[in-house]
Amino acid sequence: MYRNDNDARRRCGLDDCDRVHKGHGLCELHLDRLKRTGTTDDPPARTLADRFWAKVDKHGPDECWPWTAVVNEHGYGVMRPEGHRHGPTIKAHRVSLMLAGVDVEGRFVLHSCDTPRCVNPAHLSVGDHKENVADMVSRQRQACGSRSGTAKLTEQQVAEIRARAERGELHRIIAAEYGVGRSTISRIVNRAGWTHVA
């Protein structure tokens, strides 16, 4: 592409780049690339596998292989899908199984080691929603009791409620004092709810 003299002073000197000139006839991107690599050529594209394994602290076959890059709010490793620099991330443990040849589409990936950062495919398996919930419950990772976003009571209050009911206090009176329904008190006393509280 032909540029006149005014354009050449204001734009990158490379024919296929219209970015603003920064120095030495190049834009900031190409100038930085020249300083780092010695060339203005685009770096070779890295595959998903290359990017993934560069961020894994690989140990023995039976040990956890921790993800060393970015993690989400739940402690799971995350990365960008292949060909994407922006937008949603994918979980690293899902990528690990994909790279191992396992079809994870529409399925949950479960950890046998209960270590969210672990991406060792030997510690991972696929399952459905029911299996994922059962795994979460068996490891006591679900939000229960006062950790639940809808809880109106604490574990201490539940223990107090059970003690008061054992002494013979009426459920409706206890319910009124704690600001919950009588059925909630009955469920607590009969251990149909808050079963984790001794």
Side-chain angles (χ1 to χ4, degrees):
M1 175 178 147
Y2 174 77
R3 294 192 179 107
N4 66 30
D5 289 342
N6 291 337
D7 287 339
R9 284 193 296 268
R10 293 182 287 120
R11 299 285 171 199
C12 183
L14 298 178
D15 286 340
D16 58 349
C17 182
D18 277 338
R19 291 183 186 90
V20 176
H21 174 267
K22 174 76 175 177
H24 300 286
L26 300 171
C27 65
E28 185 172 7
L29 172 86
H30 289 114
L31 184 61
D32 180 57
R33 188 178 292 162
L34 181 66
K35 288 177 182 176
R36 283 185 296 109
T37 67
T39 179
T40 58
D41 295 340
D42 287 337
R46 294 176 65 205
T47 66
L48 181 66
D50 290 340
R51 292 188 302 117
F52 175 82
W53 291 114
K55 298 169 184 167
V56 176
D57 186 9
K58 198 171 176 181
H59 297 285
D62 297 327
E63 296 179 61
C64 285
W65 298 353
W67 180 253
T68 61
V70 178
V71 295
N72 67 13
E73 66 275 13
H74 304 292
Y76 292 99
V78 292
M79 66 184 299
R80 301 268 180 224
E82 193 162 22
H84 296 267
R85 289 186 166 192
H86 306 286
T89 58
I90 52 177
K91 290 183 178 143
H93 60 282
R94 292 183 68 80
V95 174
S96 179
L97 275 190
M98 287 168 36
L99 293 173
V102 177
D103 180 16
V104 299
E105 187 66 35
R107 301 165 86 187
F108 290 85
V109 176
L110 314 176
H111 284 84
S112 63
C113 60
D114 202 29
T115 305
R117 278 183 181 256
C118 179
V119 294
N120 183 346
H123 292 187
L124 305 172
S125 62
V126 292
D128 59 20
H129 177 68
K130 186 177 180 181
E131 291 168 317
N132 190 44
V133 170
D135 183 55
M136 177 182 67
V137 170
S138 72
R139 298 173 192 277
Q140 297 181 346
R141 296 192 84 168
Q142 79 277 21
C144 65
S146 59
R147 291 187 302 154
S148 170
T150 60
K152 293 183 179 180
L153 301 169
T154 65
E155 282 75 7
Q156 180 180 346
Q157 290 172 321
V158 168
E160 292 167 3
I161 288 167
R162 287 186 179 142
R164 290 176 65 177
E166 282 181 25
R167 289 193 300 265
E169 290 188 49
L170 297 174
H171 290 191
R172 65 180 167 80
I173 293 172
I174 298 171
E177 288 185 27
Y178 287 95
V180 296
R182 191 181 69 72
S183 62
T184 299
I185 301 300
S186 294
R187 284 180 51 77
I188 289 170
V189 171
N190 295 323
R191 298 193 184 275
W194 292 79
T195 56
H196 66 289
V197 178

